[in-house]
């Protein structure tokens, strides 16, 4: 059996395993070091009790033969699809356009399968690596990187951008923390319409948008339903990174070139390859969208945003250029003239802080580090104290 040749095209050492390898190497020589991780974007806060109870009730129901349930609808429990349409989208999408799944990352992989290998794709650079690597696994060879840097306010120059079949777009962005404005998303939708492209809009961090002028969904833009699929997740919305629950919106108005329905094909693919998200997770998701759960997760999101604000202030006080961190849980800090893996090593060795090297997200990430606000407050405060010990000049 020959190895899948697409696998050979992947770069060695996906970003996070390399971070873990370096961290472990450091720890093996410095076992006493108390490392603070502001690297991987994983949630740390305990779930609100009302949500954990809903998960537990759903699990306990499985032990009761009168309440036991097996497979559910592949598209998700009807009540949850309705609630997502109501609470997240204020009915701007139909419940039957909502497909519940077991994680945004899993759905990104399945979407790549939906479109196949004979497509060209565009990604923001820097980018969440899954868009590129998942496409390569699928056999996609034409990948256009759209530079996003401080010169263009981390929004691609669409006037000079090449046409592609698919455009991956993430806002609030991982890793830059940039949030696209309404005008920017309008331009993106017009660009996709003009080029007959489909936008895969990753809204995994939408709940961090507090500014009412910033769009939380691509469907706030007129005409977006004809050109965009949106992926949402309970992971960062509600601390469900381990519980696993997400959704994808595939509008009925979205058509392939030959006029056939993307929604129908997605439904076909999901009913073939997916057997529905865990019923326990879905009941947890319903609790998130109920009044008490919703209130509790607003507090959780506000907590992480306060972490971001504390980190932002600390980095600014060291005269470090820092972007993001407002309406987003990631900060994107620039160290002109320095390689981001060198900064990684320096922060690890001198301050016992782990952040993510920007170059791992693409060439435009060189000189940058991504700091994640997903941490406990004590760790954020401790990290800022440690950073204050350095005069900043060493970092610059
Ligand atoms: N999309 C982006 C931009 C992410 O950063 C992440 C996780 O870090 C995901 C999707 C994956 O989310 P999920 O936990 O729902 O698979």
């Amino acid at each position: 059996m020959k190895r899948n040749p697409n696998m050979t095209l992947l770069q060695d050492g996906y970003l996070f395993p390399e971070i873990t390898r370096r961290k472990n190497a450091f720890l093996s020589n410095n076992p006493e070091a108390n490392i603070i991780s502001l690297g991987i974007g994983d949630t740390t806060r305990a779930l609100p009790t009302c949500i954990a109870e809903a998960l537990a009730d759903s699990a306990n129901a499985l032990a009761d033969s009168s309440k036991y349930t097996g497979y559910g609808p592949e598209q998700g429990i009807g009540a949850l699809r309705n609630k997502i349409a109501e609470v997240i989208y204020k009915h701007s999408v139909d419940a039957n356009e909502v497909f519940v799944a077991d994680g945004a990352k899993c759905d990104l992989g399945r979407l790549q399968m939906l479109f196949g290998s004979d497509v060209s794709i565009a990604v923001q650079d820097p980018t969440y690596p899954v868009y590129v690597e998942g496409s390569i696994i699928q056999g996609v060879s034409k990948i256009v990187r759209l530079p996003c840097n401080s010169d263009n306010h981390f929004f691609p120059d669409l006037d000079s951008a090449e046409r592609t079949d698919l455009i991956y777009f993430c806002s609030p962005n991982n890793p830059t923390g940039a949030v696209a404005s309404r005008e920017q998303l309008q331009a993106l939708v017009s660009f996709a319409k003009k080029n007959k492209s489909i936008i895969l809009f990753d809204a995994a961090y939408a709940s961090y948008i507090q500014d009412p002028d910033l769009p939380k969904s691509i469907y706030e833009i007129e005409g977006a339903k004809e050109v965009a699929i949106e992926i949402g997740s309970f992971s960062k919305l509600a601390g469900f990174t381990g519980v696993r629950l997400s959704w994808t919106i595939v509008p009925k108005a979205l058509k392939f070139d030959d006029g056939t329905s993307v929604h129908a094909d997605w439904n076909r693919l999901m009913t073939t390859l997916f057997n529905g998200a865990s019923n326990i997770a879905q009941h947890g998701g319903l609790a998130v969208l109920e009044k008490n759960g919703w209130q509790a997760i607003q507090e959780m999101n506000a907590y992480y945003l306060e972490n971001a604000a504390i980190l932002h202030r600390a980095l600014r006080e060291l005269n470090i250029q820092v972007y993001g961190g407002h309406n987003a849980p990631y900060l994107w800090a620039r160290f002109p003239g320095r390689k981001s893996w060198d900064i990684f090593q320096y922060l690890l060795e001198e301050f016992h802080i782990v952040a993510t090297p920007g170059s791992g997200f693409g060439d435009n990430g060189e000189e940058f580090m991504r700091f994640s606000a997903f941490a406990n407050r004590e760790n954020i405060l401790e990290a800022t104290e440690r950073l204050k010990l350095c005069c900043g000049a060493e970092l610059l």
Side-chain angles (χ1 to χ4, degrees), residues 112-143:
Q112 284 157 342
M113 209 180 300
L114 176 72
F115 295 108
S117 55
D118 192 18
V119 290
S120 51
I121 70 159
V123 295
Q124 292 157 284
D125 183 334
T127 183
Y128 178 52
V130 175
Y131 311 144
V132 173
E133 304 216 322
S135 300
I136 291 174
I137 291 173
Q138 196 57 38
V140 170
S141 55
K142 173 124 194 217
I143 299 174

PDB file of all heavy atoms in Angstrom, residues 112-143:
ATOM      1  N   GLN A 112     -13.893  20.627   3.105  1.00  0.00           N
ATOM      2  CA  GLN A 112     -12.842  20.433   2.103  1.00  0.00           C
ATOM      3  C   GLN A 112     -13.166  19.218   1.234  1.00  0.00           C
ATOM      4  O   GLN A 112     -12.947  19.213   0.029  1.00  0.00           O
ATOM      5  CB  GLN A 112     -11.484  20.308   2.812  1.00  0.00           C
ATOM      6  CG  GLN A 112     -11.008  21.679   3.277  1.00  0.00           C
ATOM      7  CD  GLN A 112     -10.006  21.664   4.424  1.00  0.00           C
ATOM      8  OE1 GLN A 112      -9.865  20.680   5.135  1.00  0.00           O
ATOM      9  NE2 GLN A 112      -9.313  22.758   4.596  1.00  0.00           N
ATOM     10  N   MET A 113     -13.778  18.208   1.858  1.00  0.00           N
ATOM     11  CA  MET A 113     -14.198  17.022   1.105  1.00  0.00           C
ATOM     12  C   MET A 113     -15.357  17.378   0.161  1.00  0.00           C
ATOM     13  O   MET A 113     -15.437  16.891  -0.957  1.00  0.00           O
ATOM     14  CB  MET A 113     -14.642  15.961   2.111  1.00  0.00           C
ATOM     15  CG  MET A 113     -14.459  14.565   1.636  1.00  0.00           C
ATOM     16  SD  MET A 113     -15.025  13.424   2.895  1.00  0.00           S
ATOM     17  CE  MET A 113     -13.993  13.812   4.269  1.00  0.00           C
ATOM     18  N   LEU A 114     -16.238  18.249   0.627  1.00  0.00           N
ATOM     19  CA  LEU A 114     -17.389  18.650  -0.191  1.00  0.00           C
ATOM     20  C   LEU A 114     -16.925  19.260  -1.518  1.00  0.00           C
ATOM     21  O   LEU A 114     -17.497  18.988  -2.569  1.00  0.00           O
ATOM     22  CB  LEU A 114     -18.254  19.668   0.572  1.00  0.00           C
ATOM     23  CG  LEU A 114     -19.449  20.249  -0.176  1.00  0.00           C
ATOM     24  CD1 LEU A 114     -20.549  19.200  -0.332  1.00  0.00           C
ATOM     25  CD2 LEU A 114     -20.019  21.468   0.552  1.00  0.00           C
ATOM     26  N   PHE A 115     -15.889  20.088  -1.445  1.00  0.00           N
ATOM     27  CA  PHE A 115     -15.461  20.793  -2.659  1.00  0.00           C
ATOM     28  C   PHE A 115     -14.411  20.017  -3.453  1.00  0.00           C
ATOM     29  O   PHE A 115     -14.156  20.324  -4.610  1.00  0.00           O
ATOM     30  CB  PHE A 115     -14.966  22.197  -2.297  1.00  0.00           C
ATOM     31  CG  PHE A 115     -16.067  23.058  -1.738  1.00  0.00           C
ATOM     32  CD1 PHE A 115     -16.109  23.400  -0.399  1.00  0.00           C
ATOM     33  CD2 PHE A 115     -17.094  23.477  -2.565  1.00  0.00           C
ATOM     34  CE1 PHE A 115     -17.152  24.166   0.111  1.00  0.00           C
ATOM     35  CE2 PHE A 115     -18.140  24.242  -2.061  1.00  0.00           C
ATOM     36  CZ  PHE A 115     -18.171  24.581  -0.717  1.00  0.00           C
ATOM     37  N   GLY A 116     -13.793  19.031  -2.823  1.00  0.00           N
ATOM     38  CA  GLY A 116     -12.850  18.166  -3.544  1.00  0.00           C
ATOM     39  C   GLY A 116     -11.512  18.828  -3.797  1.00  0.00           C
ATOM     40  O   GLY A 116     -11.211  19.908  -3.276  1.00  0.00           O
ATOM     41  N   SER A 117     -10.717  18.162  -4.633  1.00  0.00           N
ATOM     42  CA  SER A 117      -9.330  18.613  -4.809  1.00  0.00           C
ATOM     43  C   SER A 117      -9.163  19.571  -5.983  1.00  0.00           C
ATOM     44  O   SER A 117      -8.183  20.298  -6.058  1.00  0.00           O
ATOM     45  CB  SER A 117      -8.426  17.403  -5.033  1.00  0.00           C
ATOM     46  OG  SER A 117      -8.934  16.656  -6.121  1.00  0.00           O
ATOM     47  N   ASP A 118     -10.148  19.585  -6.880  1.00  0.00           N
ATOM     48  CA  ASP A 118      -9.981  20.386  -8.088  1.00  0.00           C
ATOM     49  C   ASP A 118     -10.463  21.812  -7.870  1.00  0.00           C
ATOM     50  O   ASP A 118     -11.304  22.328  -8.611  1.00  0.00           O
ATOM     51  CB  ASP A 118     -10.744  19.707  -9.243  1.00  0.00           C
ATOM     52  CG  ASP A 118     -10.375  20.305 -10.580  1.00  0.00           C
ATOM     53  OD1 ASP A 118      -9.316  20.965 -10.657  1.00  0.00           O
ATOM     54  OD2 ASP A 118     -11.154  20.141 -11.547  1.00  0.00           O
ATOM     55  N   VAL A 119      -9.975  22.423  -6.816  1.00  0.00           N
ATOM     56  CA  VAL A 119     -10.381  23.808  -6.508  1.00  0.00           C
ATOM     57  C   VAL A 119      -9.137  24.619  -6.165  1.00  0.00           C
ATOM     58  O   VAL A 119      -8.117  24.064  -5.725  1.00  0.00           O
ATOM     59  CB  VAL A 119     -11.352  23.889  -5.296  1.00  0.00           C
ATOM     60  CG1 VAL A 119     -12.713  23.314  -5.621  1.00  0.00           C
ATOM     61  CG2 VAL A 119     -10.764  23.236  -4.060  1.00  0.00           C
ATOM     62  N   SER A 120      -9.253  25.912  -6.368  1.00  0.00           N
ATOM     63  CA  SER A 120      -8.199  26.808  -5.887  1.00  0.00           C
ATOM     64  C   SER A 120      -8.736  27.465  -4.620  1.00  0.00           C
ATOM     65  O   SER A 120      -9.941  27.692  -4.494  1.00  0.00           O
ATOM     66  CB  SER A 120      -7.881  27.857  -6.946  1.00  0.00           C
ATOM     67  OG  SER A 120      -9.075  28.485  -7.371  1.00  0.00           O
ATOM     68  N   ILE A 121      -7.821  27.734  -3.686  1.00  0.00           N
ATOM     69  CA  ILE A 121      -8.278  28.356  -2.436  1.00  0.00           C
ATOM     70  C   ILE A 121      -7.418  29.588  -2.123  1.00  0.00           C
ATOM     71  O   ILE A 121      -6.253  29.657  -2.515  1.00  0.00           O
ATOM     72  CB  ILE A 121      -8.228  27.380  -1.232  1.00  0.00           C
ATOM     73  CG1 ILE A 121      -6.771  27.059  -0.818  1.00  0.00           C
ATOM     74  CG2 ILE A 121      -8.974  26.091  -1.529  1.00  0.00           C
ATOM     75  CD1 ILE A 121      -6.661  26.555   0.605  1.00  0.00           C
ATOM     76  N   ALA A 122      -8.030  30.522  -1.395  1.00  0.00           N
ATOM     77  CA  ALA A 122      -7.272  31.672  -0.886  1.00  0.00           C
ATOM     78  C   ALA A 122      -7.385  31.670   0.628  1.00  0.00           C
ATOM     79  O   ALA A 122      -8.446  31.324   1.171  1.00  0.00           O
ATOM     80  CB  ALA A 122      -7.833  32.970  -1.451  1.00  0.00           C
ATOM     81  N   VAL A 123      -6.297  32.010   1.286  1.00  0.00           N
ATOM     82  CA  VAL A 123      -6.321  32.156   2.749  1.00  0.00           C
ATOM     83  C   VAL A 123      -5.652  33.466   3.115  1.00  0.00           C
ATOM     84  O   VAL A 123      -4.808  33.967   2.361  1.00  0.00           O
ATOM     85  CB  VAL A 123      -5.570  31.002   3.477  1.00  0.00           C
ATOM     86  CG1 VAL A 123      -6.249  29.664   3.254  1.00  0.00           C
ATOM     87  CG2 VAL A 123      -4.092  30.931   3.053  1.00  0.00           C
ATOM     88  N   GLN A 124      -6.034  34.000   4.256  1.00  0.00           N
ATOM     89  CA  GLN A 124      -5.308  35.148   4.781  1.00  0.00           C
ATOM     90  C   GLN A 124      -3.929  34.635   5.218  1.00  0.00           C
ATOM     91  O   GLN A 124      -3.811  33.495   5.665  1.00  0.00           O
ATOM     92  CB  GLN A 124      -6.055  35.726   5.994  1.00  0.00           C
ATOM     93  CG  GLN A 124      -7.387  36.358   5.654  1.00  0.00           C
ATOM     94  CD  GLN A 124      -8.314  36.385   6.871  1.00  0.00           C
ATOM     95  OE1 GLN A 124      -8.886  35.379   7.269  1.00  0.00           O
ATOM     96  NE2 GLN A 124      -8.464  37.546   7.470  1.00  0.00           N
ATOM     97  N   ASP A 125      -2.920  35.450   5.099  1.00  0.00           N
ATOM     98  CA  ASP A 125      -1.592  35.074   5.593  1.00  0.00           C
ATOM     99  C   ASP A 125      -1.149  36.170   6.544  1.00  0.00           C
ATOM    100  O   ASP A 125      -0.959  37.303   6.103  1.00  0.00           O
ATOM    101  CB  ASP A 125      -0.616  34.940   4.422  1.00  0.00           C
ATOM    102  CG  ASP A 125       0.769  34.467   4.866  1.00  0.00           C
ATOM    103  OD1 ASP A 125       1.145  34.709   6.031  1.00  0.00           O
ATOM    104  OD2 ASP A 125       1.472  33.875   4.045  1.00  0.00           O
ATOM    105  N   PRO A 126      -1.020  35.891   7.839  1.00  0.00           N
ATOM    106  CA  PRO A 126      -1.049  34.609   8.531  1.00  0.00           C
ATOM    107  C   PRO A 126      -2.448  33.990   8.580  1.00  0.00           C
ATOM    108  O   PRO A 126      -3.447  34.702   8.533  1.00  0.00           O
ATOM    109  CB  PRO A 126      -0.577  34.963   9.941  1.00  0.00           C
ATOM    110  CG  PRO A 126      -0.973  36.391  10.123  1.00  0.00           C
ATOM    111  CD  PRO A 126      -0.781  37.019   8.783  1.00  0.00           C
ATOM    112  N   THR A 127      -2.447  32.663   8.743  1.00  0.00           N
ATOM    113  CA  THR A 127      -3.725  31.940   8.745  1.00  0.00           C
ATOM    114  C   THR A 127      -3.745  30.816   9.773  1.00  0.00           C
ATOM    115  O   THR A 127      -2.697  30.278  10.132  1.00  0.00           O
ATOM    116  CB  THR A 127      -3.986  31.343   7.343  1.00  0.00           C
ATOM    117  OG1 THR A 127      -5.247  30.698   7.325  1.00  0.00           O
ATOM    118  CG2 THR A 127      -2.935  30.299   6.950  1.00  0.00           C
ATOM    119  N   TYR A 128      -4.951  30.452  10.177  1.00  0.00           N
ATOM    120  CA  TYR A 128      -5.161  29.238  10.972  1.00  0.00           C
ATOM    121  C   TYR A 128      -4.706  28.074  10.084  1.00  0.00           C
ATOM    122  O   TYR A 128      -5.217  27.914   8.957  1.00  0.00           O
ATOM    123  CB  TYR A 128      -6.649  29.164  11.315  1.00  0.00           C
ATOM    124  CG  TYR A 128      -7.119  27.966  12.085  1.00  0.00           C
ATOM    125  CD1 TYR A 128      -6.509  27.568  13.268  1.00  0.00           C
ATOM    126  CD2 TYR A 128      -8.228  27.237  11.649  1.00  0.00           C
ATOM    127  CE1 TYR A 128      -6.980  26.472  13.976  1.00  0.00           C
ATOM    128  CE2 TYR A 128      -8.708  26.148  12.358  1.00  0.00           C
ATOM    129  CZ  TYR A 128      -8.075  25.769  13.522  1.00  0.00           C
ATOM    130  OH  TYR A 128      -8.544  24.689  14.223  1.00  0.00           O
ATOM    131  N   PRO A 129      -3.739  27.270  10.512  1.00  0.00           N
ATOM    132  CA  PRO A 129      -3.094  26.298   9.613  1.00  0.00           C
ATOM    133  C   PRO A 129      -4.029  25.246   9.016  1.00  0.00           C
ATOM    134  O   PRO A 129      -3.747  24.715   7.943  1.00  0.00           O
ATOM    135  CB  PRO A 129      -2.053  25.615  10.510  1.00  0.00           C
ATOM    136  CG  PRO A 129      -1.846  26.538  11.662  1.00  0.00           C
ATOM    137  CD  PRO A 129      -3.120  27.292  11.845  1.00  0.00           C
ATOM    138  N   VAL A 130      -5.144  24.972   9.674  1.00  0.00           N
ATOM    139  CA  VAL A 130      -6.033  23.893   9.220  1.00  0.00           C
ATOM    140  C   VAL A 130      -6.579  24.131   7.804  1.00  0.00           C
ATOM    141  O   VAL A 130      -6.782  23.186   7.046  1.00  0.00           O
ATOM    142  CB  VAL A 130      -7.187  23.732  10.241  1.00  0.00           C
ATOM    143  CG1 VAL A 130      -8.216  22.733   9.776  1.00  0.00           C
ATOM    144  CG2 VAL A 130      -6.624  23.341  11.600  1.00  0.00           C
ATOM    145  N   TYR A 131      -6.806  25.407   7.446  1.00  0.00           N
ATOM    146  CA  TYR A 131      -7.356  25.684   6.112  1.00  0.00           C
ATOM    147  C   TYR A 131      -6.388  25.180   5.035  1.00  0.00           C
ATOM    148  O   TYR A 131      -6.786  24.597   4.037  1.00  0.00           O
ATOM    149  CB  TYR A 131      -7.587  27.186   5.875  1.00  0.00           C
ATOM    150  CG  TYR A 131      -8.337  27.922   6.957  1.00  0.00           C
ATOM    151  CD1 TYR A 131      -8.005  29.236   7.291  1.00  0.00           C
ATOM    152  CD2 TYR A 131      -9.380  27.322   7.652  1.00  0.00           C
ATOM    153  CE1 TYR A 131      -8.690  29.932   8.275  1.00  0.00           C
ATOM    154  CE2 TYR A 131     -10.065  28.008   8.644  1.00  0.00           C
ATOM    155  CZ  TYR A 131      -9.708  29.313   8.958  1.00  0.00           C
ATOM    156  OH  TYR A 131     -10.370  29.989   9.937  1.00  0.00           O
ATOM    157  N   VAL A 132      -5.118  25.448   5.262  1.00  0.00           N
ATOM    158  CA  VAL A 132      -4.107  25.080   4.268  1.00  0.00           C
ATOM    159  C   VAL A 132      -3.823  23.584   4.340  1.00  0.00           C
ATOM    160  O   VAL A 132      -3.881  22.879   3.319  1.00  0.00           O
ATOM    161  CB  VAL A 132      -2.800  25.886   4.518  1.00  0.00           C
ATOM    162  CG1 VAL A 132      -1.690  25.396   3.609  1.00  0.00           C
ATOM    163  CG2 VAL A 132      -3.058  27.371   4.318  1.00  0.00           C
ATOM    164  N   GLU A 133      -3.536  23.103   5.531  1.00  0.00           N
ATOM    165  CA  GLU A 133      -3.097  21.711   5.644  1.00  0.00           C
ATOM    166  C   GLU A 133      -4.228  20.736   5.309  1.00  0.00           C
ATOM    167  O   GLU A 133      -4.004  19.715   4.666  1.00  0.00           O
ATOM    168  CB  GLU A 133      -2.527  21.457   7.040  1.00  0.00           C
ATOM    169  CG  GLU A 133      -1.393  22.441   7.323  1.00  0.00           C
ATOM    170  CD  GLU A 133      -0.256  21.871   8.132  1.00  0.00           C
ATOM    171  OE1 GLU A 133      -0.525  21.079   9.043  1.00  0.00           O
ATOM    172  OE2 GLU A 133       0.903  22.231   7.855  1.00  0.00           O
ATOM    173  N   GLY A 134      -5.449  21.077   5.714  1.00  0.00           N
ATOM    174  CA  GLY A 134      -6.592  20.227   5.373  1.00  0.00           C
ATOM    175  C   GLY A 134      -6.804  20.186   3.872  1.00  0.00           C
ATOM    176  O   GLY A 134      -7.132  19.147   3.299  1.00  0.00           O
ATOM    177  N   SER A 135      -6.596  21.327   3.209  1.00  0.00           N
ATOM    178  CA  SER A 135      -6.768  21.369   1.752  1.00  0.00           C
ATOM    179  C   SER A 135      -5.689  20.544   1.076  1.00  0.00           C
ATOM    180  O   SER A 135      -5.954  19.833   0.102  1.00  0.00           O
ATOM    181  CB  SER A 135      -6.704  22.816   1.243  1.00  0.00           C
ATOM    182  OG  SER A 135      -7.725  23.576   1.836  1.00  0.00           O
ATOM    183  N   ILE A 136      -4.462  20.620   1.590  1.00  0.00           N
ATOM    184  CA  ILE A 136      -3.360  19.840   0.993  1.00  0.00           C
ATOM    185  C   ILE A 136      -3.663  18.345   1.132  1.00  0.00           C
ATOM    186  O   ILE A 136      -3.501  17.573   0.180  1.00  0.00           O
ATOM    187  CB  ILE A 136      -2.012  20.205   1.667  1.00  0.00           C
ATOM    188  CG1 ILE A 136      -1.618  21.638   1.285  1.00  0.00           C
ATOM    189  CG2 ILE A 136      -0.916  19.218   1.258  1.00  0.00           C
ATOM    190  CD1 ILE A 136      -0.384  22.166   1.986  1.00  0.00           C
ATOM    191  N   ILE A 137      -4.136  17.935   2.276  1.00  0.00           N
ATOM    192  CA  ILE A 137      -4.471  16.512   2.474  1.00  0.00           C
ATOM    193  C   ILE A 137      -5.511  16.081   1.440  1.00  0.00           C
ATOM    194  O   ILE A 137      -5.483  14.984   0.899  1.00  0.00           O
ATOM    195  CB  ILE A 137      -4.977  16.261   3.915  1.00  0.00           C
ATOM    196  CG1 ILE A 137      -3.843  16.444   4.915  1.00  0.00           C
ATOM    197  CG2 ILE A 137      -5.598  14.860   4.044  1.00  0.00           C
ATOM    198  CD1 ILE A 137      -4.251  16.388   6.375  1.00  0.00           C
ATOM    199  N   GLN A 138      -6.411  17.000   1.147  1.00  0.00           N
ATOM    200  CA  GLN A 138      -7.489  16.730   0.200  1.00  0.00           C
ATOM    201  C   GLN A 138      -6.980  16.688  -1.252  1.00  0.00           C
ATOM    202  O   GLN A 138      -7.682  16.227  -2.131  1.00  0.00           O
ATOM    203  CB  GLN A 138      -8.524  17.853   0.386  1.00  0.00           C
ATOM    204  CG  GLN A 138      -9.873  17.627  -0.180  1.00  0.00           C
ATOM    205  CD  GLN A 138     -10.506  16.364   0.360  1.00  0.00           C
ATOM    206  OE1 GLN A 138     -10.365  16.027   1.522  1.00  0.00           O
ATOM    207  NE2 GLN A 138     -11.182  15.638  -0.507  1.00  0.00           N
ATOM    208  N   GLY A 139      -5.765  17.200  -1.471  1.00  0.00           N
ATOM    209  CA  GLY A 139      -5.193  17.172  -2.825  1.00  0.00           C
ATOM    210  C   GLY A 139      -5.238  18.513  -3.532  1.00  0.00           C
ATOM    211  O   GLY A 139      -4.936  18.605  -4.723  1.00  0.00           O
ATOM    212  N   VAL A 140      -5.618  19.562  -2.806  1.00  0.00           N
ATOM    213  CA  VAL A 140      -5.662  20.898  -3.422  1.00  0.00           C
ATOM    214  C   VAL A 140      -4.233  21.371  -3.659  1.00  0.00           C
ATOM    215  O   VAL A 140      -3.381  21.261  -2.775  1.00  0.00           O
ATOM    216  CB  VAL A 140      -6.401  21.887  -2.487  1.00  0.00           C
ATOM    217  CG1 VAL A 140      -6.256  23.322  -2.971  1.00  0.00           C
ATOM    218  CG2 VAL A 140      -7.865  21.503  -2.371  1.00  0.00           C
ATOM    219  N   SER A 141      -3.967  21.881  -4.867  1.00  0.00           N
ATOM    220  CA  SER A 141      -2.595  22.333  -5.121  1.00  0.00           C
ATOM    221  C   SER A 141      -2.503  23.842  -5.287  1.00  0.00           C
ATOM    222  O   SER A 141      -1.464  24.428  -5.048  1.00  0.00           O
ATOM    223  CB  SER A 141      -2.015  21.627  -6.346  1.00  0.00           C
ATOM    224  OG  SER A 141      -2.869  21.821  -7.432  1.00  0.00           O
ATOM    225  N   LYS A 142      -3.606  24.461  -5.658  1.00  0.00           N
ATOM    226  CA  LYS A 142      -3.515  25.918  -5.866  1.00  0.00           C
ATOM    227  C   LYS A 142      -3.966  26.663  -4.612  1.00  0.00           C
ATOM    228  O   LYS A 142      -5.164  26.721  -4.283  1.00  0.00           O
ATOM    229  CB  LYS A 142      -4.365  26.308  -7.070  1.00  0.00           C
ATOM    230  CG  LYS A 142      -4.462  27.797  -7.233  1.00  0.00           C
ATOM    231  CD  LYS A 142      -4.020  28.285  -8.581  1.00  0.00           C
ATOM    232  CE  LYS A 142      -3.815  29.773  -8.539  1.00  0.00           C
ATOM    233  NZ  LYS A 142      -4.186  30.485  -9.686  1.00  0.00           N
ATOM    234  N   ILE A 143      -2.991  27.189  -3.894  1.00  0.00           N
ATOM    235  CA  ILE A 143      -3.287  27.896  -2.639  1.00  0.00           C
ATOM    236  C   ILE A 143      -2.716  29.309  -2.737  1.00  0.00           C
ATOM    237  O   ILE A 143      -1.507  29.479  -2.909  1.00  0.00           O
ATOM    238  CB  ILE A 143      -2.676  27.146  -1.431  1.00  0.00           C
ATOM    239  CG1 ILE A 143      -3.302  25.743  -1.350  1.00  0.00           C
ATOM    240  CG2 ILE A 143      -2.888  27.938  -0.136  1.00  0.00           C
ATOM    241  CD1 ILE A 143      -2.710  24.832  -0.299  1.00  0.00           C
TER     242      ILE A 143
END
